[in-house]
Amino acid sequence: MVTMRPATADSQSVQDFLKAVYTLQQKMERVSTNALAEMLSISAPSVTDMAHRMMLAELVNYEKYHGVRLTETGEREALRVIRRHRLIELYLVTDLGYALHEVHDEAEQLEHAVSDRFIAALAEKLDHPTLDSHGEVIPGIDGTCHYRELHTPSQFPIGIKAKVACLNSNNPEILQHLMGKGFTLGSQVEIITREPFEGPLTVLIDGKTVMVGYTVATYISVEQDKGAGK
Amino acid sequence: MVTMRPATADSQSVQDFLKAVYTLQQKMERVSTNALAEMLSISAPSVTDMAHRMMLAELVNYEKYHGVRLTETGEREALRVIRRHRLIELYLVTDLGYALHEVHDEAEQLEHAVSDRFIAALAEKLDHPTLDSHGEVIPGIDGTCHYRELHTPSQFPIGIKAKVACLNSNNPEILQHLMGKGFTLGSQVEIITREPFEGPLTVLIDGKTVMVGYTVATYISVEQDKGAGK
DNA sequence: CATTATTTTTAGAATAGCCTAAACTACTAC
DNA sequence: GTAGTAGTTTAGGCTATTCTAAAAATAATG
Ligand SMILES: [Mn+2]
Ligand SMILES: [Mn+2]
Ligand SMILES: [Mn+2]
Ligand SMILES: [Mn+2]
């Protein structure tokens, strides 16, 4: 720590770190080392160390005992990696016959290995998409994100028709479970009943009635049907 | 060196090392540390070190001062990586619009990052090809290679019609130079004149007459036209 | 506002890959 | 066969990334 060299933005660890900070930043002002350790599955001391080195590289702003925040450079880099990740995920489903639950782990590796040339080819082939195979927003080359107004079934009013807009889990088992119930992007859904105390939901999906646990439902986002009055 | 842990076959360094040994083994009985250092662009001591660790992992047979040879396991692994590399190269040209000179460097990274699932998808999509975009043999999943009888222009008799069967350079500049002259896989070629002392060749390619330097011509392999008497 | 509990950082260490400089072996030529 | 040269290995070191155990700081509690 007397001599500490700055991190380089092109390593796998640094890129995953940037993504993790970006994601956690959406929910909290500053991101704690513990939260990062949890998300990255590494020890807290490793996070502290990385935070120091990325501070020197001016990718994050780090204050001892008060967590981390992305700098402008850091955010740009994070969005670049997220763009890669999501373009790859979409491509795997669209052109290589992957099932949704298979794409995340593959993309987690490929995002670091692939060249800008490769990403450009994918973007071109997919006709510059803005949503990936989970329904998550793909940032543009300039970092712009076209967010939509989404809702979680657990907070969406009963009786309103909506469409599944995002299945935002990275866990293959959860995704398989949800898709097994009929939740796929674009499905028509309507909440029929909602049990209190974080109980299960009864949902009408494309005409079929199914039950879903509260916890697993938090990985679903729906979008109100266009044209349907609020 | 008192305690030395065996290498693990799934690291980038180890995989590239295996490929290098495999390639050099075609031309020499045992592969020297210097030859490997040269091919891998690392120092000779690094090669010695790696040789030791890969010996412990039973991937190579290494004898001090007498170089290295792949074990059966090592050869299987090497062929697996070569298969990946070449399927990726073919895919990049066929489906993603890459030019031949762009594929090698990309494949050199991707071969380590991609899953077996991914490779299976490529093989399927390309209809289980046996030749990559350079014209090199793609080993099967079981390691089998369907070699052809190829010739270098510099040793091929004058006046015989042949087809370009392989452009086996990894150097983008060389490939661009050759393709600029009209050498592409499948082109009709006929040697018109050959200068002595490793001098240039005059070649008829698809009707056009071009000159090629001796050195650069060593990266071309041709196959005698089928049906044309020897 | 003390005391405890939780979080975070420091200290010290390991591993894979790499390096340079120095020592050593093996082959080549008298 | 001995000297010289070319090729290899050993010795010693460095970096990035990870870890565990211990110390320190912050946050929560009564
Ligand atoms: Mn993902
Ligand atoms: Mn990743
Ligand atoms: Mn190649
Ligand atoms: Mn490689």
Side-chain angles (χ1 to χ4, degrees):
Chain A
M1 20 33 186
V2 179
T3 34
M4 177 170 270
R5 314 212 70 66
T8 43
D10 54 0
S11 94
Q12 177 150 337
S13 302
V14 170
Q15 292 184 343
D16 285 340
F17 194 100
L18 287 167
K19 281 201 306 179
V21 177
Y22 183 89
T23 307
L24 292 168
Q25 251 184 202
Q26 311 296 106
K27 296 203 170 179
M28 34 186 117
E29 187 53 26
R30 297 191 72 87
V31 181
S32 74
T33 42
N34 255 19
L36 285 164
E38 163 88 50
M39 172 163 280
L40 294 167
S41 303
I42 60 178
S43 72
S46 300
V47 172
T48 302
D49 194 75
M50 186 60 108
H52 277 128
R53 290 187 294 120
M54 289 179 64
M55 171 82 144
L56 292 180
E58 299 189 22
L59 291 167
V60 298
N61 160 301
Y62 164 60
E63 276 178 74
K64 250 193 195 177
Y65 294 102
H66 295 94
V68 121
R69 199 127 232 277
L70 293 178
T71 61
E72 208 152 312
T73 324
E75 183 164 328
R76 203 180 328 115
E77 269 306 302
L79 284 166
R80 202 182 77 96
V81 182
I82 291 169
R83 173 177 163 80
R84 296 172 148 247
H85 184 99
R86 295 189 177 163
L87 277 170
I88 291 163
E89 286 190 339
L90 180 59
Y91 185 71
L92 292 175
V93 168
T94 307
D95 279 52
L96 290 179
Y98 273 61
L100 183 57
H101 71 273
E102 298 176 307
V103 299
H104 179 78
D105 290 351
E106 189 88 57
E108 200 57 60
Q109 295 307 123
L110 285 185
E111 64 191 359
H112 314 290
V114 125
S115 70
D116 286 346
R117 170 79 177 83
F118 187 94
I119 292 299
L122 295 199
E124 183 69 31
K125 204 151 191 252
L126 296 167
D127 203 20
H128 306 284
T130 62
L131 296 175
D132 79 357
S133 37
H134 288 82
E136 300 212 71
V137 175
I138 302 174
I141 321 109
D142 56 353
T144 47
C145 298
H146 298 96
Y147 289 113
R148 298 161 295 166
E149 205 193 317
L150 300 186
H151 309 267
T152 291
S154 51
Q155 52 169 214
F156 204 65
I158 286 178
I160 298 287
K161 285 179 175 49
K163 282 216 165 65
V164 174
C166 190
L167 299 173
N168 50 285
S169 172
N170 296 331
N171 182 316
E173 280 77 39
I174 291 178
L175 287 174
Q176 281 183 290
H177 178 252
L178 287 176
M179 295 200 300
K181 297 240 177 217
F183 291 98
T184 49
L185 284 202
S187 318
Q188 264 271 319
V189 292
E190 186 187 329
I191 316 291
I192 307 292
T193 65
R194 183 183 0 250
E195 295 285 315
F197 310 118
E198 314 207 331
L201 307 164
T202 320
V203 186
L204 196 67
I205 316 173
D206 291 331
K208 257 179 284 186
T209 306
V210 296
M211 285 200 103
V212 221
Y214 176 89
T215 317
V216 94
T218 60
Y219 296 106
I220 304 168
S221 299
V222 299
E223 190 174 23
Q224 201 176 321
D225 268 7
K226 292 159 192 169
K230 194 181 187 178
Chain B
M1 22 36 185
V2 177
T3 35
M4 176 170 271
R5 314 213 68 67
T8 42
D10 55 359
S11 93
Q12 177 150 337
S13 301
V14 170
Q15 292 185 342
D16 285 339
F17 194 100
L18 287 166
K19 281 200 306 178
V21 178
Y22 182 90
T23 307
L24 291 168
Q25 251 185 203
Q26 312 296 107
K27 296 202 166 179
M28 33 187 117
E29 188 53 27
R30 296 192 72 86
V31 181
S32 74
T33 41
N34 255 19
L36 285 165
E38 163 88 49
M39 172 162 281
L40 295 167
S41 303
I42 58 177
S43 72
S46 299
V47 173
T48 302
D49 193 75
M50 186 61 108
H52 277 127
R53 290 188 293 121
M54 290 178 64
M55 171 80 146
L56 292 180
E58 299 189 23
L59 291 167
V60 299
N61 161 302
Y62 164 59
E63 277 178 73
K64 251 191 197 179
Y65 294 102
H66 294 94
V68 120
R69 199 131 233 276
L70 293 178
T71 61
E72 207 151 313
T73 324
E75 182 163 328
R76 203 180 328 115
E77 269 306 301
L79 284 166
R80 201 181 77 95
V81 182
I82 291 169
R83 173 178 163 79
R84 294 171 150 248
H85 183 99
R86 295 190 178 163
L87 276 171
I88 291 164
E89 286 190 339
L90 181 58
Y91 186 69
L92 292 175
V93 168
T94 306
D95 279 51
L96 289 180
Y98 274 60
L100 183 57
H101 71 273
E102 297 177 307
V103 299
H104 178 77
D105 290 351
E106 189 88 56
E108 199 57 59
Q109 296 306 123
L110 285 185
E111 64 190 358
H112 314 290
V114 126
S115 70
D116 286 346
R117 170 78 178 80
F118 187 95
I119 292 299
L122 295 199
E124 183 68 31
K125 202 149 191 253
L126 295 167
D127 203 21
H128 306 283
T130 63
L131 296 175
D132 78 359
S133 37
H134 287 83
E136 300 212 72
V137 175
I138 301 175
I141 321 109
D142 56 353
T144 47
C145 298
H146 299 96
Y147 288 113
R148 299 160 295 166
E149 206 192 315
L150 300 186
H151 309 267
T152 291
S154 49
Q155 52 169 215
F156 204 65
I158 286 179
I160 299 289
K161 285 179 175 50
K163 283 215 164 66
V164 174
C166 190
L167 299 173
N168 51 283
S169 171
N170 296 332
N171 182 316
E173 279 78 41
I174 291 178
L175 287 174
Q176 281 183 290
H177 178 251
L178 288 176
M179 295 201 299
K181 297 239 178 220
F183 291 99
T184 49
L185 284 202
S187 318
Q188 263 271 317
V189 293
E190 186 187 330
I191 316 292
I192 306 293
T193 66
R194 186 187 352 256
E195 295 286 315
F197 311 118
E198 315 208 328
L201 307 163
T202 320
V203 186
L204 196 66
I205 315 174
D206 290 331
K208 260 179 282 186
T209 307
V210 295
M211 286 200 100
V212 220
Y214 176 89
T215 318
V216 94
T218 60
Y219 296 107
I220 305 168
S221 299
V222 299
E223 189 173 24
Q224 201 176 321
D225 269 6
K226 292 158 193 169
K230 194 181 187 178

